[in-house]
Amino acid sequence: METLTTAPLCENLPPLPQRTIEERRKLKIKLPELLWVEKLMRKNAAHMHARTEHTLHHDGMDLPIYSLTLGSQKPASPTLLITGGVHGLERIGTQVILSWLQTLLERCRWDTHTKALLAQIHIVILPLVNPVGMLNNTRSNGNGIDLNRHAPVQANEKTPFLAGGHRLGNWLPWYRGKTGAELEPELAVMIKVFKRYMQSPATTLGMDLHSGFGFHDRLWFPYAYSKEPIANISDYVALKLMWERNYPHHNYLFEPQSMHYCTHGDIWDYLYDLNKAEGNSHFLPLTLEMGSWNWVKKRPRQLFNFNGLFNPQLPHRRARVLRDHLVLLDFLCSATLNHEQWQPDKKMAESFAQMAQGIWYKARQ
Ligand SMILES: [Zn+2]
């Protein structure tokens, strides 16, 4: 058995920023999630490769965007991509990822099932895409741009006023940035990491964690720019049916984002189409939208705390959210590893695509 004090492998740990006591104090209060990521990196260099993808400079501090990779390094291995903190306000998403990762890394040390899983799949994590936004408690990044309205994608449906993305200016939320402007570094990192790891014929599942919409936890999939089904809609039907058969008491609504509203500039629309254009059809990005209005309903006082609209405020409620999604994340690992067992063949795909019409797209027929 490996000990908890495995010596770090230097090549797995990038140089970490040198911080003054005052900077550490500030981060402890305003951005503890970044310190949590760095702690996991330092403790687990034997099991996880960390890389500094970009360093943002804000308020006199260096705020890196890290990528963390675990598991098989073979390009043909199926991949699970997990991202969080795209919207700085929604810090619970980053916390859910780190809580799950902490468990996974501990299990790497003793559990042969976990070791066997990681020998066969590749896990890529961007736990905190927008550190400046999270430090400032804003949805947008440091330049006032909403990173999930910023990708070069134009909706071909009506979008909600402002919330669907606009170019009026960064004094309003949901700002897309100027037409044709250079991509913001946070989005450029997501695209760079996606291109580095994902564009292989192997199946890739993805999950981006958000909070703030409605009373239910939802699993959304593309498109956000169109109400038409995506090319591999049958894969989503298969995944939904398998999830529901295996976890009949689950509490997620599984649906295309366009069932609720359409937006411009959705990062997953962009990456999905990018992948498809290169002839790789088995990419299944999901967005977990944690229904944070429930936390507000249970504690209306949170309405007066902007942070409280997007994150559970009481310790027991936060702990519940951190454990609530562990099963889903483990399920996605197994689904990634065993994709050949559930992805439909051509004949099944046709009937699943018809089923998708009945479940999600009926209103358009
Ligand atoms: Zn969000």
Side-chain angles (χ1 to χ4, degrees):
M1 188 177 148
E2 292 166 53
T3 66
L4 291 179
T5 52
T6 313
L9 303 175
C10 293
E11 65 269 27
N12 275 347
L13 190 65
L16 300 179
Q18 299 292 317
R19 298 198 177 98
T20 63
I21 292 171
E22 178 56 25
E23 284 171 351
R24 283 192 65 80
R25 195 191 61 83
K26 198 188 278 183
L27 288 178
K28 249 183 185 166
I29 297 166
K30 293 187 156 189
L31 195 56
E33 291 80 3
L34 186 65
L35 299 178
W36 189 358
V37 177
E38 290 175 355
K39 189 174 168 193
L40 287 177
M41 284 161 53
R42 272 196 300 268
K43 259 191 82 178
N44 297 284
H47 300 285
M48 180 170 78
H49 179 77
R51 191 194 283 238
T52 304
E53 299 291 351
H54 184 84
T55 300
L56 297 155
H57 306 285
H58 179 78
D59 203 11
M61 282 188 291
D62 284 346
L63 301 176
I65 305 174
Y66 297 114
S67 70
L68 313 170
T69 54
L70 299 84
S72 164
Q73 297 299 313
K74 294 179 201 140
S77 297
T79 300
L80 177 62
L81 168 67
I82 298 177
T83 53
V86 167
H87 290 140
L89 258 176
E90 301 162 19
R91 51 181 69 231
I92 188 67
T94 293
Q95 294 173 14
V96 168
I97 293 172
L98 296 178
S99 169
W100 170 75
L101 178 61
Q102 197 165 332
T103 302
L104 188 71
L105 288 165
E106 284 302 324
R107 293 187 73 137
C108 272
R109 300 172 197 276
W110 61 271
D111 178 8
T112 49
H113 281 295
T114 302
K115 287 183 187 190
L117 171 81
L118 288 174
Q120 297 171 81
I121 68 166
H122 191 201
I123 300 179
V124 180
I125 305 173
L126 285 168
L128 179 37
V129 172
N130 178 10
V132 176
M134 201 171 283
L135 183 122
N136 290 337
N137 254 337
T138 59
R139 176 183 169 92
S140 59
N141 74 350
N143 296 325
I145 290 173
D146 186 328
L147 297 170
N148 211 27
R149 301 289 185 272
H150 180 55
V153 180
Q154 188 72 16
N156 54 24
E157 302 278 350
K158 196 172 172 356
T159 60
F161 177 62
L162 296 181
H166 64 85
R167 300 203 190 273
L168 298 174
N170 65 2
W171 65 91
L172 290 165
W174 306 292
Y175 179 55
R176 298 178 65 188
K178 285 188 182 141
T179 312
E182 205 177 315
L183 288 180
E184 293 295 297
E186 298 89 342
L187 183 60
V189 162
M190 290 181 83
I191 295 169
K192 178 175 73 171
V193 170
F194 180 81
K195 284 186 171 173
R196 185 189 304 144
Y197 296 111
M198 309 304 147
Q199 287 183 296
S200 78
T203 288
T204 298
L205 269 67
M207 192 157 92
D208 188 22
L209 285 89
H210 290 253
S211 61
F213 182 85
F215 292 105
H216 283 99
D217 292 335
R218 288 161 201 273
L219 288 168
W220 279 351
F221 57 86
Y223 289 118
Y225 75 80
S226 163
K227 291 190 174 177
E228 294 300 323
I230 54 174
N232 62 342
I233 188 70
S234 56
D235 284 346
Y236 283 97
V237 174
L239 190 66
K240 170 185 156 66
L241 294 178
M242 185 169 70
W243 167 248
E244 290 174 349
R245 273 199 308 270
N246 284 265
Y247 296 96
H249 310 295
H250 77 92
N251 206 19
Y252 298 90
L253 297 172
F254 202 121
E255 50 202 11
Q257 177 177 340
S258 60
M259 265 181 78
H260 294 278
Y261 58 91
C262 288
T263 68
H264 302 291
D266 184 279
I267 178 69
W268 301 105
D269 284 1
Y270 177 72
L271 293 178
Y272 180 86
D273 278 356
L274 188 73
N275 204 48
K276 195 171 116 217
E278 304 231 337
N280 302 320
S281 58
H282 289 304
F283 173 43
L284 284 87
L286 291 164
T287 295
L288 169 59
E289 277 285 347
M290 288 175 266
S292 67
W293 298 356
N294 250 338
W295 311 325
V296 178
K297 190 173 76 181
K298 287 180 181 160
R299 192 168 184 256
R301 232 174 347 125
Q302 276 187 218
L303 264 178
F304 301 104
N305 167 358
F306 199 36
N307 200 16
L309 285 174
F310 298 90
N311 304 287
Q313 299 294 289
L314 295 175
H316 75 275
R317 202 155 285 142
R318 176 176 172 272
R320 188 184 306 149
V321 176
L322 295 188
R323 65 179 180 263
D324 267 359
H325 304 288
L326 297 177
V327 170
L328 175 67
L329 284 158
D330 286 347
F331 168 82
L332 289 178
C333 282
S334 300
T336 303
L337 171 61
N338 299 289
H339 64 95
E340 284 169 351
Q341 302 293 320
W342 57 268
Q343 276 182 315
D345 59 21
K346 212 170 167 214
K347 201 167 156 219
M348 279 302 284
E350 280 171 25
S351 65
F352 279 1
Q354 276 178 8
M355 205 186 282
Q357 289 291 336
I359 307 172
W360 294 309
Y361 301 97
K362 221 175 192 168
R364 291 180 63 80
Q365 285 178 333

